[in-house]
Amino acid sequence: LFNKEIINIFVLKSKIKFMNNDLFRNKYRIPSARAYWHDYNMGYYFITICTDKREHYFGEIIDNKMMLSQLGNYAESYIEKMKTMYDDTKILSSIIMPNHVHIILAIDKHEKINNSNNDNNNDFNEHMSAIAKKCGRLSNIILKYKANITRFAYKNDIPFKWQTRFHDRIIRNNNDLINTDIYIKKQNKR
């Protein structure tokens, strides 16, 4: 068993940045995999979202062609819908695979819109706004995507569950963007 001092030394040596509060609901939590130096409110990102236990909920690859299930078709159509949903976000490329989704997403400068007219909800809205700022725009967009796919599955009695979190990679230059797009397009030809 490790005591907290040994863990803290390991964390410092590994240069892993923990949040100030290591506990959530009195349980230790895994630190964020997000880059602490980046706010995720603008930029280009390569996103991978996986299903729980890598289950093939979105379809199967048959004769080197992705055959989408009902849920896979919805996941794909929702990405198309997202292309017009946000003024500050562009989906540059995407693919649905049997157990995961790849998306290249660009976020332009996000302007906060205050839709609250109800004074009774001000404390709650301020609290949620503070959480959203910490998460960044990227997390908010992915959360909505995952929630809509889950809602569709639930309404249609389709067994489904996402893996917690998602993987992102910040795309840093044009060559990285081109290579990532080529990778996604090759996935479609497997």
Side-chain angles (χ1 to χ4, degrees), residues 169-183:
R169 184 168 54 80
I170 300 167
I171 297 174
R172 298 173 192 249
N173 57 49
N174 199 42
N175 284 339
D176 195 9
L177 177 63
I178 291 166
N179 290 334
T180 305
D181 188 49
I182 290 169
Y183 172 78

Side-chain angles (χ1 to χ4, degrees), residues 3-127:
N3 65 31
K4 193 164 183 154
E5 291 175 6
I6 293 172
I7 292 172
N8 286 338
I9 291 168
F10 173 77
V11 168
L12 290 173
K13 285 185 177 181
S14 301
K15 296 182 180 177
I16 297 173
K17 182 177 167 123
F18 279 95
M19 297 174 130
N20 291 336
N21 181 4
D22 291 335
L23 294 177
F24 177 72
R25 295 184 181 162
N26 290 326
K27 294 182 181 179
Y28 283 95
R29 63 180 174 193
I30 299 169
S32 175
R34 306 286 169 259
Y36 67 88
W37 46 266
H38 189 74
D39 72 2
Y40 292 90
N41 286 317
M42 48 183 309
Y44 289 79
Y45 305 96
F46 175 46
I47 308 299
T48 303
I49 315 168
C50 297
T51 61
D52 188 48
K53 298 179 183 166
R54 302 248 179 195
E55 291 285 332
H56 287 203
Y57 291 118
F58 297 131
E60 297 292 336
I61 296 175
I62 300 171
D63 295 329
N64 291 326
K65 185 170 169 50
M66 180 63 193
M67 305 303 289
L68 295 172
S69 65
Q70 179 185 8
L71 187 60
N73 278 315
Y74 184 77
E76 186 175 67
S77 69
Y78 197 81
I79 289 174
E80 289 300 314
K81 182 178 179 181
M82 286 172 60
K83 289 180 179 181
T84 60
M85 193 179 297
Y86 306 108
D87 292 337
D88 64 339
T89 304
K90 293 194 180 356
I91 305 225
L92 304 175
S93 188
S94 65
I95 189 161
I96 308 292
M97 299 302 290
N99 59 6
H100 64 281
V101 177
H102 288 305
I103 302 171
I104 297 177
L105 191 128
I107 302 174
D108 198 3
K109 194 173 196 175
H110 175 60
E111 300 295 328
K112 183 183 172 199
I113 299 170
N114 186 357
N115 293 332
S116 174
N117 294 326
N118 187 348
D119 290 336
N120 296 334
N121 288 330
N122 278 348
D123 290 340
F124 178 75
N125 289 338
E126 287 176 22
H127 174 71

Side-chain angles (χ1 to χ4, degrees), residues 141-154:
I141 292 166
I142 301 303
L143 173 71
K144 287 179 184 176
Y145 178 75
K146 290 174 76 171
N148 275 285
I149 304 309
T150 303
R151 190 175 301 115
F152 176 85
Y154 179 77

